[in-house]
């Protein structure tokens, strides 16, 4: 029972970093010590019965009995119930416990070693309030992000529903956010209510997402490597008809039409060509490597990193790839005791090769693979066939053996042999360089008084190189002269912000922070040049060059510049709390935007929030049930100026040209584009938020929010009557809309012996309703919601309904017999006199006895009402496992995969269940070439499918090598892991992928699906 | 701080400070002419659409989903489906630009005589747009000024009589303007409005209102005292070789027979991104046989087109033994049958295509920027002399006076293609119009105005008292005060 010395190292359970400054106390005494800069401690203990208590801010306390040991290493778990956690708010940070707005955070530890290529993926399913859907599975492709629903209406070419991204204080245009390297991210905060957003008033209405990159810490140098390598495959193939089935159904459709049968002997075609297997890659490679060094001393700290990402697409890999290099340097220097300067600087180069249509029913490899007949061979090897004039008389594409790629005689137009399509695009690519950073100076002349000046900029260069050879894909896709083009763009966005803040505690319990600031912002000034040489002496991309000086008549060029968009702002904020019990925050911002005329140039956006922490009250008994409770509420207004530049003026447009005379030249005509609207003004979104945060039973954290968000004076270019005759539609403040919802976040973490267990989940419900569309306007139709050649848009926006709801005809089953057709009568007799058995029975919605455009109704909602996600994690000794899943529910998907406008397009195997006689089907109509009953031509509920899905997004299993093994090599931590992405998706949807982003979500025109990947990875920390 | 927000538009003119000199006035005038050659969304042109409606052609094209023209061809069109929206847009775009010019021109500091000419040209073009609209839709709003945002949803339709009165007034005002020239130099200004165009159009406007005497007088002004002889005032004379009318060479464009000609060029680099933006003629690719491939060296050099507006058996039978047959009909059926060439039948295929416009490789632009298939330089005739000859003959016959001159006019048209004289009867005139002007966009209008449509189009589903006009486009009824025509179940 002798006294002895116990020593050891304290580390972070998650990151393996040594923790300096940890309190180590002998239980029941005041004896203790503090761990040193390397996390080492040493303490004399009186007996083997002694118990050590390890405690550190932000970590769960741990008690360890000493026993006979001389060496005790401890790993501390960061404590989710900590009240000292800090969150980033606009222009500063705030203790989480005193924040009275609604903010969700994602921390670096949540993202560690996750296979995240773009920041949107880091957020999908990880916080409440966000609906995120990838725009396609194309590597490098972006995503559609909606914070608390749709805040504004879509606008052609606009991103007015995408939140504002702010990286280290620099506002990043939405297209440019893809440059970030995952492991450089320290935290992401999602500002959800107006009180939090209002500090970014002018452009905050669709939400604000703040991204903070990692900074160095004083102490020894840290080096980290994380990398993984793996393969991807498509998770699902569509069930399409084989050649025999196709020929059979074509014959049936022709016979119904009274046409001669196109195929004499369907059986003779066998299985035919499986176009999907020709474009899908089951072993597309992907890899990611990230390396960082950080460190510093009490004067300077730095964080620098290098990243490399490479991913092959699962569809037509030769023309679907993405590569990115990143470099980052963040540093801070304390020049004087009162003066700090620093910079955050990121650079990224990306090269992307895209296959073109990633969600379009009009051709491209995917759409063609879905719609081409399975009879046509992929490559024509039969010499008789290959000598047909279509192959010998035209510059068709050929494989490496000189055999022509098959050209379908049945399915034409934009549907072309995907192999031929790929061959003509080989080598073409897009590139981009992004340099994004800021530089700041911060002075603290008096304690608590900080004067800060920041200049931030995003400098982007991007463009593409493309060679188009002479080709004949089919009689509608012919290029008779090659061309080589190069496009360059450059754009500089910048912002300058100056703030003064003062923090002070009065009379010991009154904590006050006051901030005033000014900002100026400029963007949209893109400069573009493009040159094309036609008819160069080369026949492929590699040989193409602008050194071939073709005559001037064979050169075309174009150039343009964007119109500057400027915003100027003044803002002030006060945060106050009394004993961290009563919280008050108030803010006002005044913004001016170049997008509005003198009448309404400036907007004022106020907000305030209140909070009460009853668990800090004296009357609140110390208990183990509710450890912490904060109730908060907020109200505020934010604005949106996202409408085209100079929309308030009537501009003169060009291109209204005409040719006179016989010289062949033409004259440039100019006319007004649209009537002016000098009263154009800010769109305003008012939001009310009530919520609470609690820590329950020590281990659970719970956050709940209810909100109501009302947008008024929505900026739009509403379609004006054609008789006005203007070429474009004038901007106007047209409509009002409302979103309301609830959000729930739940966290739990527990350590039981050697087991650590964790759960993080979130759930959001939202409801959207259009409340006003302006005087006399009954509904609006989104220009993007056309469907092939159909006369009807598939969505409609109407007062009382969800924005851009699916709209169309309602089927009431299928007429099984002629008697049923006779029996379907209205005031004018038979409602569908021309129908035949097997045709859809359309609901006569207005009851007038005829089926026409007035018999359409609301059929469903493209935007999910419910989104959720959760992470389950468990660890045992060196092993750990993380399962991250997310899902949505409540939406419909428009399955527009089949190109019905080409009657000979292939079908999904559902068509085998078509109506062929009484009782055969009540859901899938008969097949008939000309579709006289518009069974397919009418957008109807027939095309709508349930969009719910649940997806196991990431499953990761890791093993951390024991310190005793790796420390000999000077390595602090080594973890190897295997993981999968998109391992399983549970859905009833019958397309490739139920996750379909876009201006209007959930319209499937043949979306490039998300890949399923399997990877192995390694993390090493020095 | 406010200076920072005062952004100056770059390369972008504002209406408020445009139209400040003669050049800008001219640029505005060009934008009005632009609508004359308008080829709208969904490949819709006035000629193409009305071809599909007539007994000479069908819609053709792709098939199932491509119903813009086939629904007019088989008379199943509804307010939602058919070519009407694009035709409506075209007309009102022209009227908006014309009205803009008529409002701006008085204030432009420029040569006053030139200004007067511009005003006269604009009036004729506005009349042209209104005439097409009233012929196609009957119940249209009559807009003599640009619509202000406040009034945008308060516009109502006028009666056809009011529209016709305005058309006549516009044309008469232009004719009264001495600065509107009788002729223009073909090489530099061919296609611009002349006194000849104004008279020809006014004659046609009278003809449609059955004002026979007034119509005959206007046409006589255009056709000249002696049918077949040169009308020196305007330089009009039938050209010798009928087939030359469909060539694209500089010597043929704006020939002596051309009165109101629509100009196209291969130089505008039109591309797929905006088909409606090209200054090339898209009817050439549209009317070409689908999937055309040659099998022998002497096969005609058609391009592979989109098989729109196939020629009906009825027109084929009517013209087969006429000297104009080979310039009018491309007989792909026969070429295929004899193994000379092959093609893929499109929708409503008949085997016969429209030779007047079917694109030829020899006429396909080479070495020019843009998509060659969208940049054919072939011009089209809105009004040509053979047309005004026949219209005058018709007016004279209907009025029952000067049948000799009527016969001279009719037979001048026939003599040019080597046909013998016939009597000036309505039947003969109708037959002559059909054969002479086949495929040029007159037939459907003629059938309707003669009251022959119900008979000629009976097998196509034409319903008398309904299909004489197009429905007001569905989208145009949304949220406006316009009423659908009674013919389509409306209240107007």
């Amino acid at each position: 029972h002798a006294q002895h010395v116990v020593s050891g190292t304290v580390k972070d359970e998650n990151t393996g970093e040594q923790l300096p400054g940890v309190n180590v106390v002998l239980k029941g005494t005041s004896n203790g010590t503090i761990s040193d800069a390397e996390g080492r401690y040493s303490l004399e203990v009186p007996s083997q019965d002694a118990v050590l208590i390890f405690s550190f801010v932000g970590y769960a306390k741990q008690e360890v009995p000493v026993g006979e040991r001389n060496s005790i290493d401890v790993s501390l778990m960061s404590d989710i119930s900590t009240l000292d956690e800090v969150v980033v708010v606009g222009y500063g940070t705030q203790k989480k416990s005193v924040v009275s707005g609604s903010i969700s955070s994602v921390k670096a530890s949540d993202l560690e070693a996750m296979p995240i290529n773009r920041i949107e993926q880091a957020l999908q399913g990880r916080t409440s309030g966000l609906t995120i859907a990838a725009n396609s599975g194309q590597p490098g492709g972006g995503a559609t992000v909606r914070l608390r629903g749709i805040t504004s209406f879509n606008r052609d070419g606009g991103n007015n529903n995408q939140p504002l991204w702010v990286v280290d204080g620099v506002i990043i245009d939405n297209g440019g956010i893809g440059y970030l390297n995952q492991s450089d991210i320290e935290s992401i905060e999602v500002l959800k209510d107006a009180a939090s957003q209002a500090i970014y008033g002018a452009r905050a209405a669709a939400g604000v997402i703040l991204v903070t990159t990692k900074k160095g810490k004083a102490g020894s140098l840290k080096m980290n490597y994380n990398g993984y390598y793996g393969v991807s495959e498509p998770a699902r193939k569509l069930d399409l008809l084989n050649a025999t089935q196709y020929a059979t159904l074509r014959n049936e459709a022709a016979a119904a039409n009274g046409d001669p049968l196109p195929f004499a002997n369907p059986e003779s075609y066998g299985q035919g060509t499986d176009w999907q297997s020709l474009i899908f890659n089951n072993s597309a490679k992907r890899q990611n490597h990230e390396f960082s060094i950080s460190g510093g001393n009490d004067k300077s700290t730095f964080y620098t990193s290098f990243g490399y990402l490479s991913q092959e697409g699962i569809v037509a890999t030769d023309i679907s790839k993405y590569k990115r290099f990143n470099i980052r340097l963040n540093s801070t220097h304390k020049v004087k005791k009162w003066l700090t300067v620093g910079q955050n600087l990121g650079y990224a180069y990306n090269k992307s090769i895209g296959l073109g249509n990633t969600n379009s029913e009009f051709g491209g490899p995917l759409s063609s693979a879905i719609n081409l007949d399975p009879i046509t061979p992929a490559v024509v090897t039969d010499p008789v066939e290959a000598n047909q004039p279509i192959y010998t008389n035209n510059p068709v594409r050929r494989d490496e053996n000189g055999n022509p790629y098959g050209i379908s005689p049945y399915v034409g137009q934009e549907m072309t042999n995907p192999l031929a399509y790929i061959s003509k695009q080989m080598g073409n690519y897009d590139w981009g360089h992004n340099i994004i950073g800021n530089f700041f100076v911060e002075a603290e002349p008096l304690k608590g008084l900080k004067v800060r000046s920041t200049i931030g900029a995003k400098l982007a260069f991007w463009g593409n190189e493309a060679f188009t050879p002479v080709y004949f894909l089919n009689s509608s896709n012919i290029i008779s002269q090659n061309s080589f083009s190069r496009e360059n763009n450059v754009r500089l966005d910048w912002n300058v912000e100056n703030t003064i803040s003062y923090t002070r505690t009065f009379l010991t319990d009154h904590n006050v922070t006051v901030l005033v600031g000014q900002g100026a912002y400029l963007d949209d000034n893109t400069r573009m040049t493009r040159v094309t040489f036609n008819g160069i002496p080369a026949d492929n991309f590699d040989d193409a060059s602008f050194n071939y000086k073709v005559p001037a008549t064979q050169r075309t060029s174009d150039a343009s510049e964007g119109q500057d968009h400027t915003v100027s702002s003044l803002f002030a904020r006060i945060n106050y709390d009394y004993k961290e019990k009563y919280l008050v925050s108030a803010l006002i911002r005044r913004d001016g935007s170049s997008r509005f005329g003198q009448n309404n140039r400036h907007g004022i956006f106020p907000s305030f929030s209140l909070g009460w922490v009853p668990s800090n009250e004296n009357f609140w008994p110390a208990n183990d049930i509710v450890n912490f409770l904060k109730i908060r509420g907020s109200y505020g207004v934010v604005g949106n100026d996202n409408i085209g530049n100079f929309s308030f003026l009537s501009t003169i447009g060009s291109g209204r040209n005409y040719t006179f005379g016989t010289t062949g030249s033409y004259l440039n005509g100019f006319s007004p584009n649209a009537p002016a609207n000098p009263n154009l003004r800010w769109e305003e979104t008012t939001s009310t938020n009530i919520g609470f945060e609690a820590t329950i039973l020590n281990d659970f954290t719970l956050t709940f929010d209810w909100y109501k968000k009302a947008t008024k004076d929505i900026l739009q270019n509403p379609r004006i009557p054609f008789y006005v005759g203007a070429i474009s539609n004038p901007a106007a403040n047209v409509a009002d809309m409302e979103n309301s919802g609830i959000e729930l976040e739940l966290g739990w973490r527990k350590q039981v012996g050697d087991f650590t267990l964790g759960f993080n989940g979130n759930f959001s419900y939202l409801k959207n309703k259009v409340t006003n569309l302006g005087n006399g306007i009954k509904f609006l139709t989104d220009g993007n919601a056309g469907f092939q050649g159909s006369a009807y848009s598939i969505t409609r926006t109407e007062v009382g309904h969800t924005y851009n709801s699916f709209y169309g005809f309602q089927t009431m089953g299928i007429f099984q017999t002629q008697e049923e057709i006779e029996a379907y009568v209205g005031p004018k007799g038979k409602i569908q006199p021309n129908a035949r058995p097997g045709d859809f029975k359309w609901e006569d919605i207005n009851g007038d006895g005829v089926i026409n455009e007035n018999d359409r109704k609301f059929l469903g909602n493209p935007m999910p009402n419910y989104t959720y996600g959760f992470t389950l994690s468990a660890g045992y000794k060196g092993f750990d496992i993380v399962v991250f899943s997310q899902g949505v529910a409540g939406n419909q998907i428009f399955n527009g995969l089949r190109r019905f406008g080409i009657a000979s397009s292939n079908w999904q195997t559902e068509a085998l269940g078509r109506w062929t006689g009484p009782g055969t089907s009540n859901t899938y109509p008969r097949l008939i070439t000309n579709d006289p009953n518009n069974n397919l031509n009418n957008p109807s509920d027939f095309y709508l499918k349930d969009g719910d899905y649940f997806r196991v997004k990431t499953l990761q299993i890791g093993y951390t090598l024991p310190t005793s093994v790796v420390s000999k090599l000077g390595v602090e931590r080594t973890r190897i892991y295997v993981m999968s992405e998109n391992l399983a998706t549970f859905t009833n949807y019958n397309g490739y992928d139920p996750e379909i982003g876009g201006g209007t979500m959930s319209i499937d025109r043949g979306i490039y699906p998300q890949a399923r990947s399997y990877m192995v990875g390694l993390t090493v920390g020095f | 701080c406010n200076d920072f927000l005062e952004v100056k538009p770059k390369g972008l003119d504002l209406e408020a400070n445009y139209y400040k000199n003669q050049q800008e006035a001219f640029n505005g005038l060009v934008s009005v002419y632009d609508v004359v050659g308008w080829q709208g969304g969904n490949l819709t042109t006035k000629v193409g659409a009305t071809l599909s409606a007539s007994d000479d052609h069908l819609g053709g094209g792709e098939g199932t989903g491509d119903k813009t023209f086939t629904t007019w061809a088989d008379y199943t069109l509804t307010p939602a489906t058919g070519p009407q929206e694009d035709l409506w847009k075209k007309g009102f775009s022209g009227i908006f630009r014309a009205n803009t010019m008529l409002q701006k021109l008085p204030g432009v500091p420029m040569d006053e005589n030139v200004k007067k000419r511009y005003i006269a040209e604009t009036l004729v073009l506005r009349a042209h747009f209104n005439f097409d609209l009233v012929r196609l839709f009957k119940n249209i709003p009559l807009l003599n000024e640009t619509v202000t945002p406040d009034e945008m949803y308060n516009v109502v339709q006028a009666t056809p009589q009011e529209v016709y009165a305005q058309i006549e007034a516009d044309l008469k005002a232009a004719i009264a303007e001495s600065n509107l020239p009788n002729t223009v130099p073909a090489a530099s200004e061919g296609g611009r409005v002349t006194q000849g165009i104004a008279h020809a159009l006014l004659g046609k406007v009278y003809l449609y209102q059955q004002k026979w005497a007034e119509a005959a007088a206007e046409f006589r002004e255009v056709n000249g005292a002696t049918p077949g002889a040169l009308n020196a005032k305007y330089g009009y004379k039938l050209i010798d070789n009928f087939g030359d009318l469909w060539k694209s060479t500089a010597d043929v464009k704006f020939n002596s027979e051309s009165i109101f000609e629509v100009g196209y060029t291969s130089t505008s680099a039109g591309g797929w991104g905006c088909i409606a933006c090209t200054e090339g003629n898209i009817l050439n690719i549209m009317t070409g046989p689908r999937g055309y491939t040659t099998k022998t060296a002497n096969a005609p050099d058609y391009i592979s087109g989109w098989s729109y507006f196939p020629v009906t058996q009825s027109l084929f039978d009517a013209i087969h033994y006429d000297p104009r047959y080979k310039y009018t009909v491309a007989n792909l059926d026969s070429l295929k049958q004899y193994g000379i060439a092959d093609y893929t039948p499109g929708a409503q295929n008949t085997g016969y295509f429209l030779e007047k416009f079917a694109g030829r490789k020899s006429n396909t632009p080479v070495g020019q920027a843009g998509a060659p298939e969208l940049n054919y330089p072939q011009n089209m005739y809105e009004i040509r002399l053979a047309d005004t000859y026949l219209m005058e003959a018709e007016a004279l016959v209907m009025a029952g006076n000067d049948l000799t001159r009527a016969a001279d006019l009719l037979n001048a048209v026939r003599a040019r293609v080597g046909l013998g004289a016939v009597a000036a009867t309505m039947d003969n005139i109708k037959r002559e119009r059909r054969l002479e002007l086949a495929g040029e966009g007159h037939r459907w209008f003629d059938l309707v105005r003669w009251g022959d449509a119900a008979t000629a189009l009976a097998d196509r589903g034409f319903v008398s008292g309904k299909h004489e006009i197009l429905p007001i486009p569905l989208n145009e009824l949304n949220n406006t005060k316009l009423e659908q025509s009674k013919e389509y179940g409306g209240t107007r």
Side-chain angles (χ1 to χ4, degrees), chain B residues 468-484:
Chain B
E468 286 82 0
I469 56 170
L470 286 169
I472 308 298
L474 176 66
N475 283 326
E476 203 65 349
L477 301 173
N478 295 339
N479 308 319
T480 70
K481 292 189 174 165
L482 296 203
E483 295 167 68
Q484 184 55 272

Side-chain angles (χ1 to χ4, degrees), chain A residues 393 413 475 556 563 566 598 601 650 652 656-658 661-662 664 669-670 719 722-723 727 778 901 903 937, chain B residues 4 6 10 13 15 27 34 62 64 67 89 97 152 186-187 190 254 263 265 267 279 294 304 369 475-476 479:
Chain A
N393 290 357
Q413 292 176 232
S475 59
T556 47
Q563 306 289 354
T566 57
Q598 289 297 348
R601 179 151 285 167
S650 172
I652 297 286
R656 291 96 207 238
N657 305 337
Y658 195 66
T662 58
F670 294 81
R719 189 181 73 70
F722 298 129
Y723 56 66
I727 201 113
K778 296 184 198 79
N937 212 0
Chain B
F4 180 65
E6 275 309 330
K10 272 182 275 204
D13 288 301
E15 187 187 338
N27 295 344
D34 174 38
E62 167 189 308
T64 324
K67 294 196 164 174
K89 275 188 201 168
R97 294 183 196 179
M152 217 172 264
F254 307 105
T265 173
T267 61
E279 302 303 319
T294 57
S304 179
N475 283 326
E476 203 65 349
N479 308 319

Side-chain angles (χ1 to χ4, degrees), chain A residues 389-517:
Chain A
I390 193 161
Y391 295 114
T392 54
N393 290 357
N394 296 305
V396 297
R397 306 297 296 175
R398 292 169 187 275
D399 72 359
E400 63 273 21
N401 301 320
N403 293 319
Y405 290 119
I407 296 171
S408 172
Y410 312 112
V411 183
Q413 292 176 232
E414 63 276 358
M415 301 303 167
T416 58
N417 187 321
L419 299 179
Y421 180 98
I422 291 166
S423 80
K424 79 172 173 69
Q425 288 203 183
M426 292 288 280
N428 298 353
Y429 69 95
D430 294 334
W431 55 269
H433 297 275
N434 281 291
I435 303 167
I436 297 169
N438 67 359
F439 177 81
F440 67 88
V441 183
E442 187 175 280
E444 192 170 0
L446 294 172
K447 186 171 161 41
L449 178 69
K450 287 183 179 169
V451 181
R452 185 179 165 106
S453 214
T454 307
I455 178 159
K458 176 181 172 201
L459 178 58
F461 302 89
W462 74 98
N464 60 59
E465 307 264 316
F467 176 76
T468 306
V470 169
Y471 64 74
F472 179 98
L473 299 185
N474 64 23
S475 59
S476 312
N477 288 274
I478 307 166
I479 291 289
S480 48
Q481 186 180 36
N482 74 39
S483 63
F484 186 44
S485 71
R486 172 172 298 161
E487 182 180 312
N488 291 300
N489 295 272
V490 59
R491 166 170 169 159
L492 173 70
D493 298 348
W494 57 257
N495 55 272
V496 174
E497 289 172 333
N498 298 299
T499 55
I500 300 171
S501 71
Y502 185 58
T503 305
R504 195 168 158 188
T505 303
F506 296 94
L507 304 170
T508 68
D509 291 325
H510 302 268
N511 304 308
V512 177
T513 300
V514 179
L515 173 87
V516 294

